[in-house]
Structures are given as structure tokens and as C-alpha cells.
Amino acid sequence: MESNGLTYGLRKYSWTLLPVILVAMVAGLSGGSSDFNFALWSIDYSQGFVRRGLAGEVVGGLFEVPLSKETMEAIFLFCFLLFVFASLLFFISFGSFPPFTLFVILSSGFYFQQYAYDLGKLDVIILMMVMIGLKIINPDRMKTTLVLIFFITTVALLIHEVSALLLVPIFLAGIWVQPLERVIRFKLVSAYFLYSILMFTVVYIAGSSTVEASVRYQSSSTLMPFLTADNDVFNIAGRSFYDNFSWAMGRLMEEKTGSRVLLNLVACFPFLIILGSMIRELMKLKVSVVEVVVLVSGSVLFLYFLGVDFYRWNALLMSLLFILLAYVGGVVKITYSVPLWLVWIALVFSLWSGPLGISVALPSRFFLFSGLEGII
């Protein structure tokens, strides 16, 4: 498929935009935030350099302190709407998905619904940076591209060290699928990979603060007085890899948690088949897609050993794979031929499951948006 970029995409997806935006707005307005999410944005550098401190530093610098819960909720909603706008621009500009398929993907329980369900998580910031970085990659100006994605990667790691598993692999994949000589591709991938390892090591080691949780809370409460001292965010900076691993594995082995994770995956099942059909199309064109899919999905799988938000890991895995395939489809200039019946089945599954939050396992989950259950 030959396209003229965004202008062509706007014509192609013109009828899709309104229902997608409507889904995103209803999802955003019916979404919610947790005390944990508020506290995530309260960590800053006032007690020294610490992991995940950049978001709080920026918010504290841009807005009048102290911040109210209402102000933070408005910031969360604004970030979500920015994510909606960035997603539409990204997918439309590449034009890899048929219009109805794009509508179903963006309206699914792992995309707009999910990130509205859990407003305030830093996931939308990282995903936006992923899409910006992929748009920046230019095979004709790879030196400039490297400098720019070095910068994006540094900022992303300062926001959240998990970017090493979410953003870095997909940037490596984005470089690898470029139409470049194999030796040049290898050099570019190696340079970016080594830089990413270096930056992650610096951020993780230097940001492993020894400041007591009580002191961290006192500092954060000057920014957000409504926070409570028992919030687990204040313990994160001092938690080791082994602590996280033991915590995650203990929860995953619980029958209740395991069944919910499986239900999440069931909700994604038709979308996994859609992904498979897209991968087969690329393989027929001799595109090196299997390697990059394994790289991106394999990296996300590490999250299951590092934290207990398993529904988030499912959503991030699905989101990143569709972002990756949209990008690769744009590079090789194709529109995927997804069977229409399969897309309809995926839509039905989205109507059943709603966002991939914990409540997907409950019998009451019968509505597209969690906020509509009390209305209908």
C-alpha cells in the first residue's frame, strides 16, 4: 500500500475517528485513580536522586504546591487524552490496519479502556515515548535518529526504570527492520543497546535510595498532603530485585490471582489470533518479523517476575505488539488483511471483558466500560 502519510490516513480512517474518540472519552471519564498512582507522582529529587523521580519533579515544578487530589486527577486525564491523540496520529499515519480493525484494537480491553481504568499509571507516558521514538527513526538519517532516541530513552528511564523492558526492545526492533545493510544495522543496534544498558545501570544503582520510607513520605506529603504514610510507593526505591521477585511469584501462585490472569488472557485470545495473522502476512513478504516480535514480547514477560500488576503486563504486552506491527507494516507499506469475522469476535470479547483490570474475573463484568455498570 502506498500512502501519503497523515493526510492519506485521515481520509482512510475518517469514519473511524469519531467512534474511537467517543470510546476513549467515555473510558477516560468513567476511569479512576488509586492512592498508589497519586503517590507515584509525588516522588521527586528533594531527598536526592531516586528512581521514578522525574515525574514528581516536573509536576512540582510546573504547578503550584501543594497539589490537590482534584488537580492530580485533571493531570491524569490530560495525560490520557494526550495518549489518545498520540495513538490516533501514530496508527493513522502508518495506515497498516484496516479501519474497522483499528477501531476494535483501540477500543479493546487492553488499550484505551485499560489505560483509562487505571488513570495515573506512568504506562501512557512510556507508550507515548515509544510511539514518538518509532516515528523519529529515519533510515536516511540514522546518526540523528540515534541521538534523539538516546535522549528519549534517558528521559523514559528517569521516569520509570521499567522502560528498559518496554521501550528499549521496541526501539531495537524499529532499527532492525529498517532497509539498511546488515552490517550497518548491527552497528546501530549495538550502539543503542550498549547505551541503554549503561543508562539503566546508572539509573538503577544511583537511584536505589537508602532514604527511609517515613522520610520519603514526609517529603512527598509537602507536594500532596492527602497522601497516607502506609502507601507502598514509599518503599519501592529501597526494594531489591529479589524482594520484587519473591513478592510477584508468591502472588502469581495464588489460585485467585492465577485464575484472573488466565481470564485476562482469554479476553485477549481473538486479538492474539489477529496478531498471528499479521505476522504470517509479514513472513510471506520475507520480513524479519519473528525475531522482533520475540524480542518485544520476551522482554515484557520479565515483568511477570518483577511485579504483581499482572493485568497491566498483559495489556502492555498486547499494546506493544500492535504498536510494533503497525510500525513494521508502515515500513514495508502494507495494509494487513484481517478476516472480518475474526475482528467481530474480538469486538464481542471486548464487550464482555471490558478493561483488563482485576474485576474482569468477577461475574458482574458484562459492560464495555466499568463506570457504566452502576448506570445501566
Side-chain angles (χ1 to χ4, degrees):
M1 176 203 73
E2 294 295 332
S3 71
N4 297 314
L6 186 58
T7 303
Y8 173 88
L10 288 171
R11 290 199 303 270
K12 177 179 177 180
Y13 295 99
S14 56
W15 73 267
T16 313
L17 288 176
L18 183 59
V20 169
I21 292 172
L22 180 62
V23 167
M25 289 185 65
V26 174
L29 293 174
S30 63
S33 305
S34 66
D35 291 340
F36 185 92
N37 293 358
F38 289 122
L40 273 176
W41 292 70
S42 73
I43 303 297
D44 57 20
Y45 299 143
S46 59
Q47 300 295 320
F49 182 72
V50 64
R51 302 197 308 267
R52 311 181 192 182
L54 185 58
E57 194 72 17
V58 171
V59 168
L62 291 179
F63 297 91
E64 185 177 349
V65 176
L67 296 166
S68 67
K69 185 176 290 189
E70 291 73 23
T71 299
M72 291 308 302
E73 287 174 342
I75 292 172
F76 293 168
L77 183 58
F78 176 73
C79 289
F80 172 72
L81 294 177
L82 270 183
F83 171 67
V84 171
F85 180 70
S87 297
L88 288 172
L89 284 180
F90 180 84
F91 285 103
I92 286 174
S93 65
F94 287 114
S96 307
F97 299 156
F100 184 51
T101 302
L102 179 63
F103 165 72
V104 173
I105 290 170
L106 295 183
S107 303
S108 68
F110 61 80
Y111 210 81
F112 286 155
Q113 288 192 71
Q114 171 58 35
Y115 301 114
Y117 170 86
D118 209 5
L119 287 175
K121 283 286 192 293
L122 298 169
D123 303 349
V124 294
I125 308 294
I126 296 173
L127 289 175
M128 278 193 285
M129 298 180 81
V130 164
M131 290 184 279
I132 291 170
L134 289 175
K135 287 293 294 181
I136 285 173
I137 296 175
N138 186 330
D140 298 323
R141 296 194 298 271
M142 286 308 297
K143 289 184 179 179
T144 303
T145 292
L146 272 185
V147 172
L148 291 173
I149 63 173
F150 281 172
F151 173 75
I152 292 173
T153 301
T154 302
V155 173
L157 288 170
L158 291 172
I159 292 173
H160 202 305
E161 71 276 9
V162 79
S163 299
L165 296 174
L166 301 178
L167 178 140
V168 172
I170 203 167
F171 281 1
L172 289 169
I175 297 171
W176 188 255
V177 298
Q178 295 303 314
L180 299 168
E181 292 182 18
R182 192 174 184 86
V183 173
I184 295 176
R185 275 192 302 169
F186 180 77
K187 289 180 179 179
L188 292 170
V189 165
S190 299
Y192 176 66
F193 182 63
L194 291 173
Y195 176 83
S196 302
I197 289 178
L198 175 63
M199 284 308 305
F200 171 76
T201 303
V202 170
V203 169
Y204 194 85
I205 294 177
S208 296
S209 175
T210 57
V211 175
E212 294 289 334
S214 58
V215 177
R216 184 69 62 193
Y217 163 69
Q218 290 175 2
S219 174
S220 294
S221 63
T222 62
L223 185 64
M224 300 180 196
F226 57 87
L227 296 174
T228 57
D230 60 349
N231 198 300
D232 195 49
V233 166
F234 305 123
N235 297 312
I236 285 176
R239 188 175 290 153
S240 68
F241 172 84
Y242 179 76
D243 292 335
N244 285 327
F245 177 79
S246 300
W247 183 36
M249 289 300 95
R251 286 287 295 275
L252 189 59
M253 292 301 106
E254 295 175 2
E255 182 180 352
K256 184 178 181 180
T257 303
S259 64
R260 287 173 170 174
V261 172
L262 288 176
L263 272 173
N264 286 171
L265 293 174
V266 168
C268 294
F269 183 70
F271 293 96
L272 291 170
I273 299 176
I274 290 173
L275 283 168
S277 71
M278 293 177 176
I279 292 170
R280 284 196 300 272
E281 281 191 65
L282 292 172
M283 291 175 66
K284 289 178 182 178
L285 297 174
K286 308 298 183 184
V287 179
S288 301
V289 65
V290 175
E291 305 97 293
V292 295
V293 166
V294 170
L295 172 65
V296 171
S297 56
S299 300
V300 176
L301 290 177
F302 276 106
L303 292 175
Y304 293 83
F305 301 98
L306 300 176
V308 298
D309 291 345
F310 303 112
Y311 68 95
R312 282 177 61 210
W313 313 153
N314 290 345
L316 285 167
L317 175 62
M318 299 298 296
S319 300
L320 286 170
L321 286 176
F322 276 111
I323 288 172
L324 173 65
L325 292 184
Y327 178 74
V328 176
V331 170
V332 300
K333 294 182 170 54
I334 67 165
T335 297
Y336 296 107
S337 301
V338 183
L340 187 59
W341 62 268
L342 181 56
V343 181
W344 276 106
I345 291 176
L347 179 60
V348 170
F349 269 63
S350 289
L351 290 169
W352 161 68
S353 68
L356 296 187
I358 294 173
S359 55
V360 75
L362 303 181
S364 61
R365 173 60 66 203
F366 290 116
F367 296 103
L368 183 63
F369 304 102
S370 57
L372 294 185
E373 290 189 37
I375 299 173
I376 300 178

